[in-house]
Structures are given as structure tokens and as C-alpha cells.
Amino acid sequence: MLKLWEPILADLAAGPLDLGPRRFGLVAACDGGLLEVSGLSVPVGAMCRVSHAPGQSLAAEVIGFRNGRTMMMLLGDMILLRPGARVWAEGRPGLLPVGEAFLGRAVDGEGLPIDGGFAIHSRMEWPSGGVRTSALDRSPVRLPFDTGVRALNALTTFGVGQRIGVMAGSGVGKSVLIDMIARGASADIVIVGLIGERAREVSDFVERHMNAAKKDKTVVVAVPADHAPNLRLRGAMLATSMAEHFRARGRRVLLIMDSLTRVAHAAREIGLLLGEPGAARGYPPSALATITKLVERAGNSAASGGSVTGLYTVLADGDNQDDPVVDTARSILDGHIVLSRDLAQRGQYPAVDIAASLSRVMNDIVPPEHQQLARQFRALTASYEANRDLVLMGAYRAGADPQLDRAIAMHERLAAFLGQPQGDIVDLGRSAAQLAALLGG
Ligand SMILES: Nc1ncnc2c1ncn2[C@@H]1O[C@H](COP(=O)(O)OP(=O)(O)OP(=O)(O)O)[C@@H](O)[C@H]1O
Ligand SMILES: [Mg+2]
């Protein structure tokens, strides 16, 4: 019991007493979750409370202002809200709670626990928009990052501090793959943002990862799809801020965001609500700028020696290349894993399409022999895939193309190399050794 009270008492002792008059605003208009409040001047990003029934209040966030009125977005439903309800500001605008207290916990977009545990007391805060550093503080990617997945470690080796996209249509295995990486990766801290996904998957994930050995270095920030768009956006900011906080302390952080597309959807909803014109596929420019900024926050820090390796899932339906989120993500990320529905339908999991996947830093971080083997592997799978129908129909005559002959002979073993059961972890060293054994032997 004492353990529960101690941090609260310490908080009370440390915080300055606020004896100033309390300012209230009044709700003047409300439509579709958007509130207009008169008489309350608070900055964008501030959290407010709206009293809607005696002794009860709703949370709202300031998202802009217009004609002297403050525009806010409710974080919940607008049940029982009436005109003239009182609104007051709460907490420190633009700052999100971070810190060691969150390790081993699952929280929502406001940083409140959803795992049924004790309240989290952290006196540390971090700006929700991040701390802007000069481009030269970003030290280059030099060390390989161990994902625990053989196909990725061997053929698209990623680096510590790299930003990676996992692109695939729905139901091809993005969430299962990041789940494997969250378990298998070597990192000091793993921060997982589950934004706009199914509530069932959130509870599954929390149950599995918060009982595992890595519990004490994992934080889950989960905002399911049915929550208000600004809460989803806040969740993404909270996860990123948390990662930046640990990086500033010199830790090697893995930040996972499932999914970046849903974050863009949330930003789109808010932009449209504020009257911004929708441009590409209905995305206002600010929505795409939001995800660019979010992704740019990952990377290595020269000052602290810490790093944030970012892994973002992107929903790319079919081979649709003109989706603005896919386009933006592809241009800003330094590598992508493409999952293929064809491979998934053939039962090959993880369904990594090696020919389409790419790590832009691989050549800087692995030895030349490894690069050479990876190129060989790619050439063999590409050659088999290009002639697959021909081979299956029996129309190919052996001997016509030595490369294809070798690809056909090795096909089973190549496919087995790419596959990996969900529970297995294959580290970097073993992945490279197995690749060498496969192609060299
Ligand atoms: N490694 C795997 N081993 C076995 N089955 C898998 C694997 N990966 C994915 N699957 C199958 O594919 C299904 C969908 O996977 P997953 O939920 O990861 O897709 P997703 O790409 O995240 O979809 P969405 O875009 O809808 O979130 C799983 O429920 C599972 O049946
Ligand atoms: Mg998913």
C-alpha cells in the first residue's frame, strides 16, 4: 500500500502549488466531435476538461482556433453535452508523460494504464512534437540491427537507427511479422504503438508480450480504431516521444508503429474537420506532413549515442502505387519489407517478397561476401519466379538456362530458407551462416 502512496505524496511535495484564479470557457457550438469554446485562451495541443454532468467531465484537446473561438476535439463520445457547459485547461500543453515508470506497462493515448495495473506516476515530460535537432546530429547507420527473422537478417539486413516500412495489403501478415520482430529483435527498449487497429489484436498483443521475458523493457501504447482521431494521433506521438526520451538517455530503442496508414487517416480526419481542402485521395497536405514528421523523428543520435530504429506498417492494397501514404512512406523510409499475397496464399510465412524488399543501408553494414551471397539468392528467386508458370506447365527444357536450372534444383531449399515459424528466433550470425551454407555448400 505504501508503495502506491509514496509516488503520489512525492508528486504533491515536488509540484508547485497553483493558487491563481481558475479560468473557464463555455461551449458555444458542437458538431461531429468538434467543439467551439468561447472565452478560453489556451494553446493548440492543450488538454481540457468539459463538464457535462454534475461531477463528471469529458476530455478534449485543442486543435485550432477561428474567429476568437477555440476549437477542440472531444476524446470520447459527446453524450449529455449541452450548450454553455464549462471548459477548463488541464496539465501542461504540448508535453506528454514519459519515463521508466512506463516500462512493462500498456497505456492509452493519454498515457493512462489499460492493463489494469496501478496508476503510473512519472514526473518526466517530453514535447509531443519532438525536440528538433540539427540534421548533423543524426549519426549515420553503421551497425546491423538484429530482427530475429532469418529472411530479413540475411537478405535485407537492416541497421540500428534505420526507418523501415512493412508494406502489404490487408491480411497478408504485417501484424504477425512485427510481432515476431518485437519478440526476436535485440534492443534495450521496445516501444509498440498499436494505432487504429482492432481492439481484439491489442488485447492479444498485450497479453502475449506483457507476460513474456522482455516485459520489463517493453511499452505498449494502444489506441484502437474506434477512438477519436486526435486520440489516435496522440497515441502515435506518445509512442514516438517515449522512444525519443529513451534515446536521449543513450538507449537503443526499437519503435514499432502498427499502422502508419491509420495515423495518416487520423490526421486526415482532423485536417478535413478544420476545413483544410483534401488533395491527393482526400488527404490534406497536413496529413502527409504529419507522417513525414513522425517518421523523421526516428534515427541515431550523435549527442547521446542512443538510437531509435523505426518499424512502420503501411497498408498498400494490391499493387496500388498511387496511394499517397505509400508514396510518402516509400520516399522517406530507408528501407521497406514488401509482403506478397501470392506467397501468403501458398502458405509461405512470413510472406516476404524478397525481390521487392530493400534495405538502403545494407551495403554499408555487412561484409562484401555476405552482400554477394544475398545478391545470388535474389537472382535465383527472381529467375524462378519469372519462369514459374513455364516450369509448372512442364514447358521448360532443362539445360536451356543454367541459372534457372540451379534455381529449380534449389527451389525447395530457397523457399524453406525464407519461411520461419512464428515462435522461432534466428539471430544475425546464424542467418548469415545459414545463407552461406545454403549457397556455398
Ligand atoms: N507467420 C505466420 N504464420 C502463420 N500464419 C500467419 C503468419 N502471418 C500471418 N498469418 C495469417 O495471416 C492472418 C493475417 O495476418 P495479420 O493480422 O498479420 O495481417 P495484417 O497484414 O496485419 O492485416 P491487417 O492489414 O488487416 O491488419 C493471420 O491471422 C494468420 O492467419
Ligand atoms: Mg494488422
Side-chain angles (χ1 to χ4, degrees):
M1 203 60 193
L2 261 181
K3 205 166 162 238
L4 177 62
W5 287 108
E6 239 166 52
I8 301 175
L9 292 175
D11 269 12
L12 287 176
L17 276 181
D18 183 6
L19 298 174
R22 209 150 189 212
R23 290 171 199 279
F24 292 99
L26 300 178
V27 173
C30 167
D31 67 289
L34 189 68
L35 295 184
E36 285 187 31
V37 174
S38 63
L40 188 69
S41 118
V42 282
V44 172
M47 289 297 284
C48 295
R49 309 274 335 169
V50 184
S51 87
H52 66 125
Q56 289 178 31
S57 61
L58 301 167
E61 183 184 359
V62 180
I63 56 172
F65 30 88
R66 185 185 297 151
N67 303 332
R69 293 212 173 136
T70 311
M71 327 269 282
M72 296 185 191
M73 185 172 249
L74 281 176
L75 297 189
D77 301 318
M78 44 185 168
I79 34 163
L80 293 179
L81 187 66
R82 59 190 99 221
R86 291 213 284 181
V87 184
W88 63 96
E90 197 186 53
R92 301 218 286 145
L95 291 175
L96 296 173
V98 295
E100 308 267 338
F102 286 91
L103 291 176
R105 304 299 304 270
V107 297
D108 65 7
E110 292 181 82
L112 302 174
I114 55 170
D115 52 7
F118 288 142
I120 299 171
H121 281 274
S122 177
R123 293 210 59 78
M124 273 173 279
E125 289 173 323
W126 194 267
S128 67
V131 180
R132 197 174 286 266
T133 53
S134 88
L136 295 182
D137 181 52
R138 282 296 148 79
S139 46
V141 177
R142 286 280 176 264
L143 296 170
F145 178 80
D146 190 347
T147 56
V149 179
R150 177 171 49 218
L152 304 179
N153 278 348
L155 302 169
T156 57
T157 315
F158 295 115
V160 171
Q162 190 174 1
R163 285 92 38 99
I164 309 149
V166 180
M167 314 202 169
S170 73
V172 182
K174 296 183 294 298
S175 301
V176 174
L177 181 63
I178 60 147
D179 198 293
M180 281 172 82
I181 297 178
R183 191 150 22 81
S186 62
D188 298 338
I189 307 274
V190 181
I191 310 241
V192 185
L194 301 174
I195 310 296
E197 293 293 301
R198 305 162 190 85
R200 170 187 61 76
E201 289 187 345
V202 170
S203 56
D204 265 9
F205 192 95
V206 170
E207 200 181 294
R208 251 174 305 126
H209 287 257
M210 290 318 189
N211 292 321
K214 279 187 160 183
K215 173 178 193 272
D216 290 338
K217 51 183 200 171
T218 308
V219 184
V220 176
V221 180
V223 189
D226 57 346
H227 286 51
N230 53 339
L231 205 51
R232 277 178 266 151
L233 208 52
R234 221 181 160 79
M237 298 299 173
L238 180 60
T240 310
S241 295
M242 203 86 78
E244 282 180 323
H245 162 80
F246 286 113
R247 173 176 64 191
R249 312 196 139 213
R251 315 285 275 275
R252 291 216 302 193
V253 183
L254 169 63
L255 170 66
I256 293 176
M257 193 80 74
D258 192 13
S259 81
L260 195 64
T261 304
R262 306 266 187 244
V263 177
H265 287 178
R268 171 169 70 183
E269 275 179 56
I270 294 174
L272 293 179
L273 213 54
L274 282 174
E276 232 187 296
R281 273 224 180 173
Y283 287 98
S286 73
L288 298 177
T290 302
I291 58 170
T292 307
K293 271 190 229 151
L294 199 65
V295 169
E296 266 301 306
R297 289 167 66 181
N300 290 321
S301 161
S304 70
S307 64
V308 175
T309 308
L311 190 64
Y312 303 86
T313 68
V314 180
L315 184 68
D317 255 329
D319 259 336
N320 190 353
Q321 298 300 330
D322 60 358
D323 183 86
V325 180
V326 177
D327 231 24
T328 310
R330 213 182 267 277
S331 63
I332 185 137
L333 295 165
D334 344 277
H336 45 260
I337 305 164
V338 178
L339 303 182
S340 135
R341 195 177 293 280
D342 277 350
L343 292 180
Q345 280 166 353
R346 282 186 226 157
Q348 181 185 315
Y349 284 113
V352 184
D353 181 351
I354 281 300
S357 305
L358 169 80
S359 163
R360 292 189 193 169
V361 303
M362 179 170 178
N363 288 352
D364 300 336
I365 51 178
V366 300
E369 312 84 69
H370 183 167
Q371 291 169 32
Q372 166 65 25
L373 289 172
R375 266 200 301 274
Q376 238 184 63
F377 190 105
R378 278 166 182 275
L380 285 173
T381 41
S383 154
Y384 184 85
E385 287 302 323
N387 298 294
R388 185 164 190 269
D389 293 344
L390 219 58
V391 174
L392 291 186
M393 278 191 307
Y396 173 72
R397 236 174 351 97
D401 175 359
Q403 169 93 329
L404 183 54
D405 287 337
R406 184 163 181 228
I408 294 170
M410 292 190 71
H411 174 64
E412 298 277 306
R413 276 177 289 154
L414 296 182
F417 184 85
L418 292 176
Q420 183 173 332
Q422 217 180 314
D424 281 11
I425 297 174
V426 184
D427 65 21
L428 262 174
R430 260 205 308 146
S431 307
Q434 290 181 4
L435 178 66
L438 176 71
L439 294 177

